Amino acid sequence: MMGRQASGQDRLFYSFNLEDHIPQNHLLRGIDRCLDFAGLREHLAEHYSQIGRPSIDPELMLRMLVVGYCYGIRSERRLCEELHLNLAYRWFCRLSLEDAVPDHSTFSKNRHGRFRDSGVFRWLFDEVVRRCMAAGLVKAEGFAVDASIVEADASSQRGVAGTESVDWKDPALSTRAVREYLEGLDAEALGKVLPKKISLTDPQASWTAATGGPAFFAYSTNYLIDAEHGVIMDVQATPAHRTAEVESTKLMVDRVQEQFGLKPERLIGDTAYGTAPMLSWMVDEKGIEPHVPVWDRTQRDDGTLSSNEFTWDEQAKEYTCPQGRPLRSQWRVFKIERSHITKADTVIYRASQQDCANCPEKQRCCPTTPMRKIVRSVHEAARDVGRKIATTEQYERSRCQRKKVEMLFAHLKRILRLDRLRLRGLSGAMDEFTMAAAVQNLRRLAMRVPQGPPTQGTATPA
């Protein structure tokens, strides 16, 4: 017999417990056990007035943002709608069935105001990292670093050539992102190098075609992760420019050391991080093993002798060719001592023209020049350390561990759906990247430690 559903919506009273309707293995239950907002109000105290009407609880807004980033709900308006309908979201945000959901406009007011001024997103990220450390997910023996490009909220049609004059005082261009850009020009003289194209809506975004397709305005999110379990130790937003990405590594390593007292024994990265100055910073300044491919263009592919076939004499500060002839930075004594260091931080070593003219190997060494010369970086010793490490088995394991960063970027864009920013300006990109990284750590922590990390103290890294 065909059944018929009885009408059950006309009852006056219901017995309903929200706790009973959330599965014990629900992701938000695990995240809730890993979150601790005990110090939130103390952190934000000076940014709230002591008088006036009580504001919306900042913990509620942060919990709502965690839900949004966790489930890829990018629209704040849609997030409020989903929170109104979804029981699990309500439970996680500590809202009963009768409680009203905050208006979506509240997020904009707080994000661009007290949340940004107080650095609450960075505070939340650091607290999550400490919870990961307490759970034993941070070994701190090896860190991996990489960057990924994320499209900015800026149309390519609203861009002008970098050489074109722009009246930034035009009221139509007076936006928060433009003001941040102009402040950056005054503080850091960013205008020394003219970009190829500037966005009129988000001028701090970089015009890039690094992905191999059509060019677009973008920012880069830079991750520094622990190589053991893939916990994100730090995150930094930069314009989509290779130099800025590499330099952000120094900031992140120093910040992790300052915040958590951790410094890795080895740093894993791709070839972009294998430049001579970067290797020198790792080896000479920080005492970190560089597990990165050395950026080396000295190897010749035309059949002639490469510079690695010449012997370097550290005491004499000169090279010796395979025929036993020296290559020196100077062949005569100057009254005023010269360093011979070029603007590129290199020293050029030249052979004697007479030695090369009478050498039987000249056609294999310098067939098109009267003498052989070798350009040596002032950081060549650090490059040699990198080359030596590249021959070890640990280096091969590090190459495999580097993929964990790329997996996190894939998760960021495909699962969390952060393939295009919603906030403008470098500060907006930083807010979004920091929240997304905190949520990625929370998801990992909830899945690896279902019972939640210890509530007291911080575990010592293994």
Side-chain angles (χ1 to χ4, degrees):
M1 182 177 66
M2 182 182 298
R4 182 184 297 274
Q5 181 179 5
S7 176
Q9 299 184 359
D10 54 353
R11 296 173 57 185
L12 184 59
F13 298 102
Y14 291 88
S15 176
F16 187 89
N17 187 356
L18 189 59
E19 178 74 24
D20 297 337
H21 291 266
I22 312 302
Q24 291 298 319
N25 60 350
H26 197 282
L27 176 61
L28 288 180
R29 278 195 181 273
I31 292 178
D32 185 66
R33 285 190 287 266
C34 298
L35 269 176
D36 184 9
F37 288 104
L40 175 62
R41 287 168 178 78
E42 180 181 355
H43 180 79
L44 290 171
E46 63 182 30
H47 297 274
Y48 282 85
S49 174
Q50 298 297 323
I51 60 176
R53 187 179 65 178
S55 66
I56 296 176
D57 190 345
E59 180 178 338
L60 170 58
M61 286 187 286
L62 283 181
R63 284 182 175 272
M64 290 177 66
L65 287 174
V66 168
V67 170
Y69 279 92
C70 188
Y71 290 97
I73 306 175
R74 305 299 316 288
S75 168
E76 293 161 357
R77 187 186 298 269
R78 181 171 164 242
L79 174 61
C80 293
E81 294 174 354
E82 292 290 335
L83 187 64
H84 180 73
L85 298 173
N86 193 297
L87 295 180
Y89 297 172
R90 278 186 171 271
W91 174 87
F92 180 78
C93 294
R94 305 294 193 264
L95 293 176
S96 67
L97 294 178
E98 294 83 8
D99 291 333
V101 177
D103 189 81
H104 65 88
S105 61
T106 308
F107 288 101
S108 298
K109 181 69 174 177
N110 284 276
R111 268 188 167 182
H112 299 301
R114 56 173 65 96
F115 278 10
R116 183 167 296 171
D117 295 339
S118 65
V120 70
F121 297 132
R122 171 61 62 173
W123 173 87
L124 176 62
F125 175 82
D126 290 344
E127 288 299 312
V128 174
V129 172
R130 290 189 179 92
R131 303 285 282 177
C132 293
M133 293 170 60
L137 297 185
V138 177
K139 188 176 181 181
E141 183 271 334
F143 285 174
V145 63
D146 205 352
S148 183
I149 294 175
V150 179
E151 186 178 358
D153 185 26
S155 171
S156 59
Q157 298 179 356
R158 286 280 292 163
V160 297
T163 56
E164 185 175 334
S165 178
V166 179
D167 181 16
W168 296 110
K169 296 181 179 180
D170 185 351
L173 300 179
S174 182
T175 62
R176 180 181 289 105
V178 170
R179 289 195 296 271
E180 289 182 6
Y181 168 72
L182 296 177
E183 291 172 1
L185 286 179
D186 294 337
E188 303 176 13
L190 296 178
K192 290 182 179 179
V193 180
L194 292 177
K196 186 175 182 180
K197 197 171 183 179
I198 298 178
S199 171
L200 297 179
T201 53
D202 192 354
Q204 287 182 296
S206 295
W207 181 251
T208 180
T211 56
F216 56 94
F217 292 108
Y219 289 96
S220 289
T221 176
N222 299 268
Y223 278 4
L224 181 70
I225 74 165
D226 184 80
E228 185 69 17
H229 294 288
V231 173
I232 304 171
M233 301 301 297
D234 206 341
V235 55
Q236 181 65 33
T238 62
H241 189 271
R242 184 57 58 86
T243 302
E245 294 170 359
V246 174
E247 286 299 311
S248 70
T249 304
K250 301 178 182 179
L251 173 63
M252 291 190 292
V253 170
D254 289 341
R255 192 158 51 195
V256 168
Q257 187 173 5
E258 179 182 353
Q259 288 288 334
F260 311 113
L262 301 178
K263 189 185 76 171
E265 297 177 10
R266 55 192 172 97
L267 185 62
I268 309 166
D270 57 23
T271 311
Y273 303 89
T275 60
M278 189 65 186
L279 291 170
S280 177
W281 175 80
M282 294 186 212
V283 175
D284 301 328
E285 294 187 30
K286 305 300 292 185
I288 299 174
E289 292 184 3
H291 285 237
V292 299
V294 178
W295 179 266
D296 194 352
R297 302 179 66 180
T298 59
Q299 187 69 30
R300 296 188 174 186
D301 54 6
D302 58 357
T304 59
L305 297 177
S306 299
S307 60
N308 58 7
E309 298 182 59
F310 291 69
T311 305
W312 170 251
D313 188 336
E314 182 64 31
Q315 292 184 347
K317 299 295 181 183
E318 64 182 28
Y319 280 98
T320 303
C321 76
Q323 296 297 314
R325 301 296 182 177
L327 286 79
R328 298 169 180 165
S329 59
Q330 66 179 37
W331 282 91
R332 64 186 178 90
V333 179
F334 293 92
K335 291 183 178 180
I336 301 177
E337 187 176 353
R338 302 182 181 183
S339 66
H340 301 286
I341 300 177
T342 66
K343 293 182 179 179
D345 284 338
T346 60
V347 178
I348 301 176
Y349 294 84
R350 295 178 176 88
S352 168
Q353 186 173 348
Q354 183 178 1
D355 289 343
C356 288
N358 300 324
C359 181
E361 294 292 325
K362 186 178 189 306
Q363 293 302 313
R364 291 187 59 239
C365 184
C366 52
T368 60
T369 58
M371 69 190 76
R372 178 60 186 261
K373 66 178 182 180
I374 295 178
V375 179
R376 179 181 175 88
S377 170
V378 297
H379 308 299
E380 195 66 27
R383 287 158 58 90
D384 289 339
V385 172
R387 294 187 185 101
K388 184 177 180 180
I389 291 175
T391 62
T392 63
E393 294 183 2
Q394 179 62 57
Y395 178 84
E396 294 300 325
R397 290 194 292 270
S398 296
R399 307 316 301 157
C400 295
Q401 290 178 326
R402 193 183 69 83
K403 297 178 182 178
K404 295 181 180 181
V405 193
E406 298 172 354
M407 294 169 62
L408 283 168
F409 289 144
H411 180 269
L412 175 73
K413 296 179 179 181
R414 300 191 64 179
I415 305 302
L416 304 190
R417 301 179 186 176
L418 188 57
D419 53 358
R420 180 185 172 95
L421 294 169
R422 293 183 63 85
L423 302 182
R424 292 174 178 170
L426 190 60
S427 61
M430 190 66 202
D431 289 347
E432 290 213 62
F433 294 155
T434 304
M435 274 299 302
V439 167
Q440 285 183 291
N441 279 344
L442 280 172
R443 290 175 62 109
R444 186 174 298 272
L445 182 60
M447 288 186 286
R448 287 189 173 271
V449 190
Q451 74 279 6
T455 57
Q456 299 292 333
T458 301
T460 303

